[in-house]
Amino acid sequence: MASSEIDQKFLGKLARLVENENPLLASVLFKILGLSINLSSQLITARKQRRQDGSSANPPLDLHLHIVWLSREGLLLLDQYVLPSATLKKNVELKILAYKLLASFYHIIVLFHNTPPVTTTGTNTPEGQSTTSVANASDKGKKVAKGNGTYDHGASKSISEGGPVGPPPGFGPQSPTAFLMKPGDYLPLAQQCFKEAIQLAEQHLWGSHSLRLSVKTEYAAFLYECVHDAEASRRLAKETISEVYEATEGIDNDMFNDACELVTVLGKMMKRGLGSNNTLRSKGHGTSNSGSQGTPRIEQTEAQAPVTAPPGMI
């Protein structure tokens, strides 16, 4: 996601690079870097609480709101300052990073704010669900006029004529985050942003470049978590690893370490959703005794060759 350490490295690097030529752009990149670090800690906290409380538990309301707010601010900074200034002629990496971060922030929005929810991570918090049930109880027997949360209480009356007054933001039947961002289905937009970032990365960066790997690694996670296309996620992970091993360009030690880390993550993603006998759990072709829904560990098999450094990465 946007909190990726690799993205943060490139944010700091590119902000220093453009500092003399474009101080405003550099200051915005540093702001996004600080926002990304803050967001990273919030997402880690949300994941830890979900593991402790169960896979279906929702983050506390204040944490939920903070995550959505930080993501929204990141989108605004990118749209207003970074994307207009980032051009392929001046800096290819900055252009690709901008599109990657755009996709990353929308990825988080889809997880925590999407309507309809794509995962239990982003469903309404208990506080929001309780207000929804109260609103539904008060409207019992009244006809729903539209699907956008407005109700038809018989004859329409204006507020001056004594008509119904809607609840304040965060207390109605909508998600508690509705006052931060307009509720809606952000899944197609996020997927489009990922595809644009991948297209740019494939055109201008070599297969073992850590920024290109970062884009594809998160897109593989997005396909699994939000699109729920496990097969496409595993296929993308496998193809990305192949591209790394086929790359012949030389890279420095820092990028080599980043590439090795991401290849390890992609290797785990290749096994996601598969049972111990490499059959799909979700379709009932195989079962796992552990019952865990997390990322399975990579087990060495006879057919699996030992991991070696890709060409050009030594």
Side-chain angles (χ1 to χ4, degrees):
M1 295 184 180
S3 58
S4 166
E5 291 184 5
I6 293 172
D7 296 346
Q8 293 169 8
K9 287 181 182 179
F10 276 98
L11 277 169
K13 170 188 170 183
L14 295 173
R16 289 191 296 269
L17 185 64
V18 302
E19 196 166 13
N20 294 329
E21 179 183 354
N22 194 335
L24 176 61
L25 176 60
S27 66
V28 172
L29 292 176
F30 279 125
K31 286 181 180 180
I32 297 176
L33 174 59
L35 184 150
S36 176
I37 295 173
N38 193 350
L39 183 58
S40 176
S41 65
Q42 301 295 322
L43 292 172
I44 291 173
T45 301
R47 291 193 190 101
K48 285 183 178 179
Q49 292 182 352
R50 195 174 62 184
R51 290 194 192 103
Q52 293 172 356
D53 301 335
S55 59
S56 62
N58 298 303
L61 181 58
D62 57 344
L63 180 60
H64 192 167
L65 294 174
H66 199 191
I67 289 173
V68 175
W69 176 75
L70 288 172
S71 301
R72 185 199 68 177
E73 293 301 299
L75 289 172
L76 291 175
L77 290 173
L78 286 170
D79 185 59
Q80 295 178 5
Y81 299 101
V82 182
L83 287 173
S85 303
T87 61
L88 291 173
K89 292 182 179 180
K90 290 186 177 181
N91 196 311
V92 173
E93 290 182 341
L94 179 58
K95 183 75 171 181
I96 297 172
L97 179 63
Y99 276 92
K100 197 273 178 179
L101 291 173
L102 193 69
S104 297
F105 286 125
Y106 274 120
H107 184 181
I108 299 173
I109 293 297
V110 170
L111 285 173
F112 289 89
H113 180 68
N114 206 66
T115 304
V118 297
T119 174
T120 54
T121 304
T123 54
N124 290 347
T125 58
E127 293 89 339
Q129 292 171 347
S130 62
T131 56
T132 301
S133 61
V134 171
N136 290 340
S138 62
D139 292 327
K140 187 175 181 181
K142 299 173 183 177
K143 180 180 178 182
V144 178
K146 298 180 181 179
N148 59 359
T150 60
Y151 295 86
D152 181 8
H153 300 270
S156 298
K157 296 181 179 180
S158 64
I159 295 178
S160 60
E161 295 175 344
V165 179
F171 292 90
Q174 293 181 330
S175 168
T177 57
F179 73 99
L180 291 172
M181 286 189 71
K182 181 179 179 181
D185 188 3
Y186 291 89
L187 186 65
L189 182 56
Q191 195 158 15
Q192 179 184 351
C193 292
F194 272 116
K195 290 180 178 179
E196 291 175 352
I198 287 177
Q199 183 179 5
L200 287 171
E202 289 180 341
Q203 289 177 352
H204 301 283
L205 302 177
W206 58 91
S208 58
H209 195 289
S210 55
L211 182 55
R212 172 170 168 166
L213 287 173
S214 176
V215 175
K216 293 199 170 187
T217 300
E218 183 170 350
Y219 186 44
F222 175 81
L223 289 173
Y224 188 88
E225 297 171 344
C226 302
V227 183
H228 304 298
D229 191 345
E231 182 61 31
S233 175
R234 291 190 292 267
R235 183 170 59 251
L236 177 61
K238 183 178 180 180
E239 291 173 354
T240 304
I241 293 176
S242 298
E243 292 171 359
V244 174
Y245 280 88
E246 292 171 359
T248 58
E249 295 81 2
I251 56 177
D252 58 29
N253 290 335
D254 189 42
M255 190 172 290
F256 171 80
N257 293 331
D258 290 339
C260 289
E261 182 179 353
L262 289 177
V263 166
T264 302
V265 174
L266 288 166
K268 294 179 180 180
M269 288 184 172
M270 286 175 58
K271 304 292 184 180
R272 251 183 141 176
L274 295 176
S276 58
N277 57 350
N278 289 341
T279 56
L280 286 172
R281 288 198 212 111
S282 59
K283 293 186 179 181
H285 296 301
T287 57
S288 174
N289 293 331
S290 63
S292 174
Q293 299 298 320
T295 302
R297 295 174 298 177
I298 298 179
E299 297 181 0
Q300 188 75 17
T301 62
E302 294 179 0
Q304 183 179 353
V307 178
T308 58
M313 298 179 62
I314 300 178

